[in-house]
Amino acid sequence: MLTVADADQLLATHGLTLSTETVPFAEARGRVLAETILADRDFPPFDRVAMDGIAIQFTALADGQTTYPVLAVQRAGEPIQPLSDPRGCIEVMTGAVLPSGADAVIRYEDLSITDGIATLTIPADMVRGQNIHRQGTDRRTFDVLLPAGTVLRPVELAVVASVGQTSVSVLKRPRVAVVSTGDELVDTHQTPLPHQIRQSNAYLLQAALRDLSIDASVHHFPDDIATITAGLSSLLATNDVLVMTGGVSAGKADFVPEVLGGLGIQRLFHKIEQRPGKPLWFGRSADAQRVVFALPGNPVSTTLCFYRYVRPYLQTAMGMSPEPPLFAQLASPVTFKPQLTYFTPARLEATPDGQLLANPLPGSGSGDFTNLTAADAFLELPANPHEFPAGTLVAAWPIG
């Protein structure tokens, strides 16, 4: 049986490699860039007016001139105009090209304009070049604006648009199927018999995957080896990742490990020294093109294993940097005696003095998924020591 650290190492060693695709840039939000975006011109591409006001030649100001006839108006988007008289000025708008011959911009707040004459109230700190965003001061032509591996947020998409690139090469998202097993489960629209329950784990996993912009299909198979074998064989042919829930423990109807082995999926680990979620199973195909996570069927175990192991693995596969855990101080003591890593649901709370507190939530075990509605993280407590007093700094893995 592996430790949590051993499981992390195996998952890192057996990553999934995804190919690339080209998509319209407007549809690339949240995707990972698979190419380098270069500047197609200087940023800004001209000497840019940074404040509404007047453009002057600074020598006139240095000579003590305080009134300037307004010779013209330079608006954003208009071709450059010359400052034909060094003793005059041109009204300029933010974003406009700086008129040729001008080398300073004075804000409207520092002047008044009456009958075509601008009169200054001159602060002592006015300097040549003020309120001008010089050409190329941000980036030069052919500078790297976005390296490959960048996650495309709205601000990065604005950069892509600014260089006139209408499509981008990005890493593909994995094709994922969510699979539940078990005769005890019926679908949400069905009325369960007294010995049955409605399935919920599969829809939890589907929603959690959607948070990664992965649209996963949902499937369910009864506890029958032939049916599970046929179903998984078909799904492995059309998906990169299977995320399963149920059928991986030691019960007489837990057929999933046997079926996966028969389908050529190599087991890389089965069972981790932790509670909950001990029976977690992970494997991949011989060609390393398919991976399978088989999660324990108890809802709390399913939730923990997804956010602690599956989500970071998929983020890495998609070229993202997985979010590390937060670190919080226990608001109340926790005692756990077995020699296992212990995960417990918690509610995180930021205090006015900047501390992050973790409030452990007592529940009724790994089947009590309603307890998770009050939680926003799982706390990870190491196997030793057994006593964790209030104030202990612990890792917290956010959920949802």
Side-chain angles (χ1 to χ4, degrees):
M1 191 158 49
L2 297 179
T3 66
V4 168
D6 291 336
D8 285 336
Q9 181 59 42
L10 269 172
L11 289 169
T13 304
H14 297 88
L16 183 66
T17 301
L18 299 174
S19 58
T20 64
E21 62 181 341
T22 299
V23 300
F25 85 92
E27 300 174 10
R29 185 179 187 278
R31 305 296 292 273
V32 175
L33 194 61
E35 62 175 310
T36 299
I37 302 297
L38 303 178
D40 66 333
R41 61 202 302 216
D42 290 343
F43 277 54
F46 48 78
D47 287 342
R48 175 182 173 274
V49 174
M51 298 289 289
D52 294 333
I54 61 171
I56 65 166
Q57 193 172 103
F58 187 76
T59 52
L61 180 63
D63 289 342
Q65 184 176 334
T66 59
T67 59
Y68 300 81
V70 178
L71 306 178
V73 176
Q74 177 81 66
R75 295 179 174 83
E78 292 181 342
I80 190 171
Q81 299 187 50
L83 179 60
S84 56
D85 181 353
R87 311 296 291 180
C89 71
I90 294 178
E91 280 194 74
V92 290
M93 310 299 147
T94 302
V97 179
L98 180 71
S100 59
D103 58 4
V105 173
I106 300 175
R107 307 178 306 163
Y108 278 137
E109 292 88 338
D110 297 324
L111 57 88
S112 63
I113 299 177
T114 305
D115 297 329
I117 301 295
T119 302
L120 310 187
T121 302
I122 304 176
D125 60 351
M126 285 194 177
V127 296
R128 177 179 277 109
Q130 68 182 24
N131 300 319
I132 298 171
H133 191 183
R134 290 294 185 185
Q135 178 176 343
T137 53
D138 297 343
R139 296 289 190 277
R140 289 292 187 183
T141 304
F142 303 126
D143 279 356
V144 174
L145 301 180
L146 300 173
T150 299
V151 178
L152 295 172
R153 303 170 301 166
V155 290
E156 282 81 19
L157 292 178
V159 171
V160 174
S162 74
V163 301
Q165 196 160 323
T166 59
S167 61
V168 287
S169 177
V170 296
L171 290 179
K172 285 186 176 180
R173 294 189 179 111
R175 298 167 297 173
V176 181
V178 173
V179 181
S180 62
T181 63
D183 291 340
E184 74 277 18
L185 300 177
V186 299
D187 210 344
T188 54
H189 65 279
Q190 296 176 292
T191 301
L193 297 173
H195 56 279
Q196 294 177 317
I197 57 174
R198 293 186 181 90
Q199 71 162 314
S200 57
N201 285 353
Y203 298 113
L204 178 148
L205 292 170
Q206 184 185 46
L209 289 162
R210 195 167 289 127
D211 287 342
L212 295 174
S213 298
I214 295 172
D215 291 322
S217 57
V218 172
H219 310 268
H220 176 75
F221 305 125
D223 289 325
D224 176 76
I225 290 181
T227 303
I228 296 173
T229 300
L232 295 187
S233 177
S234 176
L235 292 174
L236 286 167
T238 55
N239 290 277
D240 305 301
V241 181
L242 300 190
V243 181
M244 304 186 64
T245 173
V248 291
S249 193
K252 293 187 180 298
D254 289 332
F255 302 128
V256 168
E258 175 187 347
V259 170
L260 289 171
L263 291 172
I265 303 299
Q266 176 192 5
R267 183 190 70 188
L268 295 172
F269 66 76
H270 186 196
K271 297 183 181 179
I272 302 177
E273 294 175 353
Q274 67 178 43
R275 183 182 295 175
K278 174 183 173 182
L280 177 63
W281 192 102
F282 172 70
R284 71 173 183 175
S285 60
D287 62 4
Q289 298 302 304
R290 303 286 186 270
V291 299
V292 178
F293 287 90
L295 282 51
N298 281 324
V300 177
S301 299
T302 295
T303 307
L304 164 68
C305 289
F306 178 83
Y307 284 103
R308 178 59 179 84
Y309 300 105
V310 182
R311 178 182 167 91
Y313 182 91
L314 293 176
Q315 287 176 312
T316 300
M318 293 190 294
M320 302 176 181
S321 296
E323 297 97 334
L326 304 173
F327 285 90
Q329 292 182 340
L330 284 176
S332 58
V334 175
T335 299
F336 183 73
K337 294 186 178 180
Q339 293 290 319
L340 301 169
T341 299
Y342 179 49
F343 292 91
T344 184
R347 167 64 67 180
L348 302 180
E349 173 190 0
T351 64
D353 61 355
Q355 294 184 338
L356 186 62
L357 295 181
N359 298 279
L361 299 175
S364 301
S366 58
D368 185 9
F369 67 101
T370 59
N371 190 46
L372 295 181
T373 62
D376 51 21
F378 277 97
L379 306 183
E380 181 173 337
L381 306 176
N384 286 299
H386 303 307
E387 304 283 344
F388 300 90
T392 302
L393 195 64
V394 296
W397 296 89
I399 61 174

